Amino acid sequence: TAVGLPRKHESAELHVLGQATYTDDILEVQGTLHAALGLSAKAHAKFSTIDLTAVRASRGVVAVYTAGDIPGTNDCGPIIHDDPIFADGLVQYVGQPLFVVVADTHDNARRAARLAKVDYDELPAVLTPQAARAAQSYVLPPMKLARGDAQAAFERAPHRVQGELHVGGQEQFYLEGQIAYAIPKEGSGMLVQCSTQHPSEMQHVVAHALGLHSHHVTVECRRMGGGFGGKESQSALWCAASAIAAHKLKRPVKLRADRDDDMLVTGKRHCFHYLYEVGYDDSGKIVAAKVDMVSRAGYSADLSGPVATRAVCHFDNTYYLSDVDIRAACGKTNTQSNTAFRGFGGPQGAIAIEYVIDDIARNLGKDALDIRKLNFYGKTDHNVTPYGQIVVDNVIHELVAQLEESSEYRARRTAIAQFNAGSPVLKKGLALTPVKFGIAFNVTHLNQAGALVHVYVDGSVLVNHGGTEMGQGINTKVMQCVAHELGVDFARVRVSATDTSKVANTSATAASTGADLNGKAAQDAARQIRDRLAAFAATKHGGAAADVRFADDIVYVNGMEIDFPQLVQQAYLARVQLWSDGFYATPGLHWDPKTMTGNPFSYFAYGAAVSEVVVDTLTGEWKLLRAGVLYDAGNSLNPAIDIGQVEGAFIQGMGWLTTEELWWNAGGKLMTHAPSTYKIPAISDCPEDFRVQLFKNRNVADSIHRSKAVGEPPLLLPFSVFFAIRDAVAAVGDNTVNPPLNAPATCEEILKAVCAVQAQAAHKA
Ligand code: MTE
Ligand code: LUZ
Ligand code: MOS
């Protein structure tokens, strides 16, 4: 079987040899020009004209296009369509594109882009989600999900905790930046080669911008050097701008953002601000939970609605909350329009309840793990989420028990207490946190995928599917599925670039559903070919079609063994169709956005992690000493790739919660727009002792080979790092004071929390 083996990534050799082709590596067509964007210098301002004289006169410049030059619609936003390609009379954030300049070289285009003169008429700017909430300024109507009577239950509760929390955003920091290369074709055709998670959306945006139909536009993406959600919708601007220029000039135009522009222009993970009020009993059981979250949506809606919805639907995490009131609003701010980022609001929803549980544990003088376990969803009762979906596959009890034991959690807890008692400056902390993550797009219709499988006469197989490769290994997994279905060697199968002219109307490769959806679609296509081959084999060689078996590159028919290519050759001569399309739509999903109830998810993926840190309480510096992870990938399609995904997501999530800080100045300019000021984790931040294991399980849902998705859920595992830091900080006092720690827990933030705990401890004494 090809499925379930720990195969290396299909492009592993190309990656390490530097031979994998990214968009910028594609050989340039003769006559290619290079573009750059001119950006707004103000956060919120009106303007009437842009003086482009100096831009036009700059060396190598061929043309400049502004909003008025767009042949079709000036829009590159998903869902709500409130994102102009080029600002038209109004700028809403520092970095908003005003125009595209095309020159002979990349450097000449960039130099020219800075020479525009704009007469801004400044307007007041809203720069934080809290300010947006105060002004009731939202990009979408606020949402609410309630069950029971949270207010009454809160008032009756034996104990109450209330507080606020701020969790910062995060730059996707894909290694390959945004890029699009538009090549005009005959008869108004346009080919756009680009780095995108969503080729069909790019096709639509380019068609609309050019005033053409979808059939005029082909979008192709062989691979991305990472997307992480940042290329789900926001690759559109770059596609549209390059295509407009290419269409006007009838020349190929490449638009590659340099890192600073990429970070200034594009949206990031939403930061969230929370107000919470939770009631609990003496044992630590939550009896009432109220939370009011507001996100930083930025100046437009983009995907902020579905992100907030996922935050609402992940506030419960692994816990049964009888009486809840969850509110979420998407604050309109004069900053980049925030977008998808691995987890898509799920991490932001779940961290709030984890913070509350951490508070409760300290208030009761108990271990937070015990409070967590006490509140877990039940297996047969207390198993309905606030949005009405029944948790039918709950494995969190056994998963956490296994990790607790294998990590020697209790013994380490004791050892850490002893260490801290004898160590006034260095304090250690420990935390074990669980994850439950709903798998499916929470916008139901997006849960569909298509594939095309070709078996050529020589027995080689070419697969094209609607998913995109961003390093996560979707192609490897789909190849495994097809090889399995046809019973052929893995080496017989190849995947070609994602191409809107091959598979139409695809969804973004997102919501961790890439392999689930496209694996099923490719399986469907391969199965049809296999069935045709089986029918043909039985006709030609005798026996029943149902008894024909395909395995190990051999076809077993009526007691005979025929090599796969040989049977293919025979079938071709007999005029059997050797290629097929395939399609899949996830069954059983429904969602009512008005009541925020339904069955939005196909199933849940689970995991848990335990982290141990040491914090220098004089400097706020810290180190992750050891981390252990148990992740439920179901019947994993590829354990090597899945473990890689878990490790990557863990470290990426750790960066979000600790070192990665987005900082805007008083004028609304993002000052952390390069790695010099924005600190992503480095290899030296990875724990020396890092144990990642997959939990033995099988999906109860009929997913592809009973596997479970792995892309996003592990991003929530490093909650354990954040709460281990908070645990260490609490040890500065007597472990009863809740450190007011916001994320990211930078050294500065940790020191502030240390001082707050010391001040409270002094006050008590
Ligand atoms: N892994 C790598 N190497 N690069 C990426 O950009 N994106 C993540 C995750 N893992 C990403 C990644 C995100 S945000 C998602 S939604 C999933 O991969 C998408 O791919 P999948 O659905 O095929 O798992
Ligand atoms: N929903 C979701 C979405 O759960 N994940 C996504 O990535 C997404 N993207 C667009 C719309 N809804
Ligand atoms: Mo992933 S945030 O759903 O692209």
Side-chain angles (χ1 to χ4, degrees):
T1 170
V3 160
L5 295 178
R7 281 192 186 281
K8 67 184 171 210
H9 192 285
E10 125 280 334
S11 292
E13 267 102 13
L14 299 181
H15 289 157
V16 297
L17 290 169
Q19 290 171 359
T21 308
Y22 297 87
T23 299
D24 204 27
D25 302 320
I26 296 169
L27 288 178
E28 283 170 15
V29 177
Q30 201 177 18
T32 293
L33 296 169
H34 299 268
L37 299 176
L39 309 179
S40 163
K42 299 292 174 194
H44 197 195
K46 288 188 184 161
F47 66 94
S48 45
T49 52
I50 310 174
D51 179 356
L52 295 165
T53 319
V55 181
R56 290 210 167 88
S58 187
R59 186 171 63 201
V61 168
V62 177
V64 189
Y65 301 111
T66 62
D69 299 310
I70 297 173
T73 18
N74 182 14
D75 165 59
C76 60
I79 313 179
I80 308 286
H81 303 293
D82 55 351
D83 285 279
I85 299 164
F86 301 127
D88 194 1
L90 175 73
V91 290
Q92 299 193 77
Y93 71 100
V94 177
Q96 181 165 6
L98 298 165
F99 61 88
V100 61
V101 49
V102 187
D104 54 348
T105 67
H106 177 76
D107 282 354
N108 281 344
R110 285 192 62 206
R111 233 174 246 124
R114 300 177 177 193
L115 304 177
K117 291 196 185 69
V118 188
D119 253 332
Y120 295 106
D121 187 0
E122 280 196 70
L123 299 165
V126 175
L127 294 176
T128 65
Q130 295 97 306
R133 174 165 26 207
Q136 305 239 332
S137 170
Y138 305 122
V139 293
L140 294 164
M143 34 185 103
K144 175 184 162 176
L145 167 62
R147 169 168 69 187
D149 188 341
Q151 184 57 33
F154 178 73
E155 282 161 15
R156 287 199 297 275
H159 305 279
R160 284 181 274 273
V161 58
Q162 37 195 307
E164 68 179 304
L165 173 66
H166 187 266
V167 172
Q170 186 180 22
E171 160 64 34
Q172 287 83 3
F173 224 106
Y174 25 66
L175 291 186
E176 177 210 30
Q178 301 277 1
I179 181 167
Y181 182 29
I183 303 163
K185 299 281 172 179
E186 64 167 29
S188 298
M190 185 63 70
L191 168 66
V192 183
Q193 294 180 305
C194 59
S195 186
T196 184
Q197 295 172 243
H198 203 346
S200 285
E201 172 86 357
M202 300 309 109
Q203 180 192 23
H204 300 157
V205 166
V206 168
H208 291 152
L210 301 185
L212 300 171
H213 294 294
S214 290
H215 67 199
H216 289 112
V217 181
T218 300
V219 174
E220 193 186 298
C221 175
R222 169 60 186 92
R223 61 169 65 78
M224 283 161 273
F228 304 111
K231 295 169 182 171
E232 178 170 344
S233 62
Q234 300 214 0
S235 40
L237 165 72
W238 315 88
C239 290
S242 64
I244 289 164
H247 182 78
K248 290 269 193 190
L249 291 165
K250 308 256 174 292
R251 302 259 306 257
V253 174
K254 188 191 276 189
L255 174 56
R256 166 164 59 83
D258 80 296
R259 182 64 59 179
D260 301 77
D261 282 356
D262 195 315
M263 289 180 78
L264 275 174
V265 173
T266 63
K268 301 147 206 327
R269 181 189 297 286
H270 297 68
C271 70
F272 269 62
H273 183 262
Y274 315 78
L275 296 169
Y276 60 87
E277 292 185 322
V278 173
Y280 54 99
D281 68 14
D282 294 340
S283 69
K285 207 177 188 71
I286 295 172
V287 296
K290 299 198 305 165
V291 66
D292 187 357
M293 337 184 210
V294 60
S295 72
R296 175 197 290 275
Y299 82 97
S300 71
D302 190 85
L303 300 171
S304 297
V307 166
T309 303
R310 190 169 276 275
V312 167
C313 293
H314 282 74
F315 175 69
D316 59 332
N317 196 18
T318 51
Y319 310 113
Y320 177 71
L321 305 170
S322 56
D323 294 78
V324 279
D325 186 318
I326 309 167
R327 292 168 200 237
C330 306
K332 177 169 173 151
T333 51
N334 291 105
T335 50
Q336 295 79 2
S337 187
N338 283 332
T339 189
F341 192 149
R342 204 171 196 173
F344 202 77
Q348 292 98 317
I351 197 165
I353 195 74
E354 292 299 342
Y355 198 83
V356 169
I357 289 194
D358 203 56
D359 281 353
I360 293 173
R362 230 168 261 113
N363 290 350
L364 293 174
K366 297 191 176 188
D367 191 307
L369 178 56
D370 294 322
I371 308 297
R372 292 193 160 98
K373 286 178 166 181
L374 187 69
N375 285 286
F376 278 166
Y377 275 109
K379 292 231 172 211
T380 51
D381 61 349
H382 297 105
N383 60 352
V384 184
T385 63
Y387 47 91
Q389 176 153 0
I390 301 173
V391 183
V392 293
D393 59 345
N394 186 0
V395 296
I396 199 63
H397 299 263
E398 46 272 50
L399 191 151
V400 163
Q402 193 180 319
L403 183 65
E404 179 182 347
E405 175 158 353
S406 67
S407 69
E408 298 178 325
Y409 177 84
R410 304 286 168 178
R412 286 163 69 196
R413 172 66 74 205
T414 311
I416 286 171
Q418 278 167 5
F419 173 90
N420 286 344
S423 174
V425 171
L426 296 181
K427 296 289 184 189
K428 286 189 180 178
L430 182 72
L432 193 160
T433 55
V435 174
K436 162 178 135 291
F437 196 90
I439 303 300
F441 283 95
N442 59 15
V443 173
T444 302
H445 76 265
L446 298 176
N447 294 286
Q448 56 173 309
L452 202 51
V453 174
H454 292 177
V455 176
Y456 291 105
V457 180
D458 66 354
S460 66
V461 182
L462 188 68
V463 183
N464 193 275
H465 60 83
T468 54
E469 176 66 50
M470 56 194 102
Q472 87 280 37
I474 188 175
N475 286 352
T476 314
K477 288 180 173 180
V478 170
M479 285 158 74
Q480 288 177 282
C481 292
V482 169
H484 177 87
E485 222 51 43
L486 295 174
V488 299
D489 282 350
F490 183 75
R492 267 194 202 289
V493 186
R494 212 174 134 93
V495 174
S496 62
T498 314
D499 181 334
T500 55
S501 68
K502 295 211 172 102
V503 175
N505 313 330
T506 57
S507 293
T509 305
S512 306
T513 60
D516 284 31
L517 297 174
N518 295 283
K520 278 277 194 183
Q523 181 186 52
D524 177 41
R527 238 176 221 171
Q528 294 181 49
I529 299 168
R530 191 193 62 194
D531 288 349
R532 283 185 215 133
L533 280 172
F536 163 74
T539 309
K540 183 166 174 81
H541 301 289
D547 295 335
V548 179
R549 280 205 314 117
F550 296 77
D552 310 317
D553 230 26
I554 294 168
V555 184
Y556 299 84
V557 48
N558 198 24
M560 277 179 277
E561 296 184 9
I562 307 173
D563 287 345
F564 182 80
Q566 205 184 332
L567 183 73
V568 164
Q569 181 78 39
Q570 294 171 357
Y572 168 73
L573 293 174
R575 297 186 291 174
V576 173
Q577 185 185 345
L578 289 169
W579 54 272
S580 175
D581 62 338
F583 185 74
Y584 181 71
T586 316
L589 304 175
H590 58 93
W591 178 248
D592 178 354
K594 279 194 203 71
T595 57
M596 298 199 83
T597 56
N599 231 53
F601 304 122
S602 173
Y603 59 88
F604 296 101
Y606 299 89
V610 55
S611 294
E612 180 175 344
V613 301
V614 61
V615 173
D616 181 333
T617 57
L618 289 181
T619 63
E621 290 166 291
W622 63 279
K623 193 164 174 52
L624 176 58
L625 298 172
R626 174 173 161 186
V629 170
L630 196 52
Y631 182 74
D632 166 27
N635 180 38
S636 169
L637 289 173
N638 183 324
I641 282 178
D642 286 354
I643 286 175
Q645 282 289 295
V646 174
E647 290 173 343
F650 185 96
I651 298 299
Q652 188 168 43
M654 180 177 89
W656 166 49
L657 293 172
T658 57
T659 61
E660 296 182 39
E661 185 175 30
L662 295 166
W663 195 83
W664 289 265
N665 71 13
K669 180 172 182 189
L670 179 72
M671 300 305 285
T672 51
H673 54 75
S676 51
T677 45
Y678 184 81
K679 193 191 174 317
I680 61 169
I683 187 71
S684 53
D685 297 310
C686 300
E688 225 163 271
D689 189 340
F690 195 14
R691 309 177 194 193
V692 175
Q693 283 193 317
L694 299 180
F695 180 68
K696 236 179 109 55
N697 198 17
R698 200 169 170 274
N699 200 341
V700 295
D702 181 23
S703 61
I704 183 78
H705 295 288
R706 301 278 168 177
S707 65
K708 287 194 181 186
V710 70
E712 296 169 287
L715 192 121
L716 288 75
L717 295 167
F719 285 4
S720 55
V721 175
F722 181 80
F723 290 108
I725 292 172
R726 199 172 184 222
D727 185 49
V729 172
V732 168
D734 60 359
N735 293 304
T736 63
V737 176
N738 279 309
L741 189 70
N742 292 305
T746 57
C747 299
E748 186 182 355
E749 180 65 22
I750 291 171
L751 262 190
K752 269 198 260 172
V754 165
C755 294
V757 171
Q758 281 167 340
Q760 274 210 44
H763 185 73
K764 270 193 190 172

